[in-house]
Amino acid sequence: MPDVTLTTLQGLKQKGEKIVMLTCYDATFARTACDAGVEMLLIGDSLGMVLQGHDSTLPVSVADMAYHTASVKRGNRGAMIVADLPFMANATLEQTLNNSAMLMQAGAHMIKLEGAGWLAESIGQLAERGIPVCAHMGLTPQAVNLFGGYKVQGRGEAQAEKMLADARALEAAGAAMLLLECVPSELAARITEAVRIPVIGIGAGSATDGQVLVLHDMLGLSLSGRVPKFVKNFMQAQSSIPAAIAAYVRAVKAVEFPAAEHEFSA
Ligand code: KIV
């Protein structure tokens, strides 16, 4: 696979071909995902839950993220590597810049920040310094305590209008990509239509420009036994992990995943 760049992603959005992203935390899975055709590897701070066994992403450190980003980089073959800035690593602008630099130096091509319209200044400062940013909106797991649980966001007209306005503002501030988590499908479709940058969804319906899942979820592995509605277990119909990841890639490209049963309504 030729190296996936921002130009590649823009081209995929323009021609209506879905972008496939998957979380990844080590070199072997990075190679396996690339061989299966995954275009974007996300070193998500979900590693705090699926690798470290915490009950939220809050304990994850920048050092943890840098370690796993460097591991993924060693196995990568052409995918775009996106690394999460973990909880409170963007408490100040200076921390945002320094911690993003650390993840870029570990091998990331793009940094993902959780938040909403208030991220505009950080996104602008990072973009000016040559760091592409993905703004993660909707259900942002680092704010689980504020939300009172892992709940769908953007329901009701007022919340929906606010998220749409925030998405536009973050694009104007210089965001290279948006990620929408647990958002009603109709709202995700409106946002995807409203911005020129690619929009990736998880629990946001099939109209977004691409999809992401947590690796362990799509392989049917769960510590808690609670499987979110938007997850599909791709191992069920396959006999190997490479085959399951390839089936996920095919299903996203064919717009067969997510299906209606994985979506949230307004
Ligand atoms: O940390 C993560 O894995 C994520 C995905 C759920 C999008 O942010």
Side-chain angles (χ1 to χ4, degrees):
M1 166 166 78
D3 286 358
V4 175
T5 64
L6 286 182
T7 312
T8 318
L9 301 178
Q10 282 292 350
L12 290 173
K13 174 165 178 134
Q14 273 156 22
K15 66 179 174 175
E17 181 179 332
K18 299 292 181 186
I19 299 164
V20 187
M21 186 186 215
L22 185 62
T23 72
C24 186
Y25 317 98
D26 70 27
T28 305
F29 273 100
R31 182 67 54 84
T32 306
C34 287
D35 289 348
V38 173
E39 288 145 338
M40 302 189 80
L41 300 174
L42 170 64
I43 300 93
D45 60 358
S46 52
L47 68 85
M49 299 171 84
V50 299
L51 300 190
Q52 298 174 337
H54 297 295
D55 61 4
S56 79
T57 60
L58 273 61
V60 177
S61 68
V62 177
D64 293 334
M65 294 305 302
Y67 173 88
H68 288 283
T69 300
S71 304
V72 167
K73 177 191 162 70
R74 288 190 282 269
N76 184 35
R77 286 292 177 273
M80 178 173 285
I81 297 177
V82 184
D84 262 341
L85 212 53
F87 180 61
M88 291 305 271
N90 59 338
T92 66
L93 186 56
E94 189 181 354
Q95 285 174 335
T96 305
L97 298 177
N98 290 339
N99 290 326
S100 298
M102 200 182 292
L103 298 183
M104 294 296 283
Q105 286 171 339
H109 303 117
M110 183 186 284
I111 300 298
K112 178 161 80 61
L113 300 180
E114 290 187 13
W118 58 270
L119 291 174
E121 188 192 2
S122 303
I123 289 174
Q125 295 273 345
L126 288 166
E128 277 177 3
R129 287 161 179 78
I131 300 184
V133 181
C134 171
H136 180 157
M137 303 172 69
L139 171 56
T140 48
Q142 291 169 16
V144 62
N145 294 299
L146 195 64
F147 293 147
Y150 295 97
K151 296 179 181 166
V152 177
Q153 301 296 310
R155 278 192 163 137
E157 201 44 35
Q159 266 206 44
E161 286 301 328
K162 164 100 175 62
M163 204 181 291
L164 187 57
D166 282 354
R168 287 197 169 107
L170 295 184
E171 176 179 44
M177 196 167 93
L178 300 179
L179 189 149
L180 301 177
E181 178 166 353
C182 290
V183 167
S185 303
E186 300 88 328
L187 174 58
R190 278 171 75 191
I191 293 173
T192 305
E193 183 71 29
V195 297
R196 287 183 308 276
I197 53 178
V199 178
I200 305 292
I202 175 166
S206 59
T208 53
D209 301 309
Q211 299 292 327
V212 62
L213 279 180
V214 171
L215 173 68
H216 293 59
D217 287 347
M218 57 83 73
L219 293 178
L221 302 172
S222 167
L223 270 181
S224 69
R226 286 190 303 274
V227 182
K229 176 183 159 90
F230 55 79
V231 169
K232 176 171 174 174
N233 177 353
F234 283 89
M235 264 313 272
Q236 253 164 4
Q238 305 297 330
S239 57
S240 72
I241 288 172
I245 298 177
Y248 166 62
V249 173
R250 281 196 304 276
V252 172
K253 290 283 182 192
V255 204
E256 288 165 0
F257 175 80
E261 76 221 56
H262 306 114
E263 300 191 13
F264 298 107
S265 57

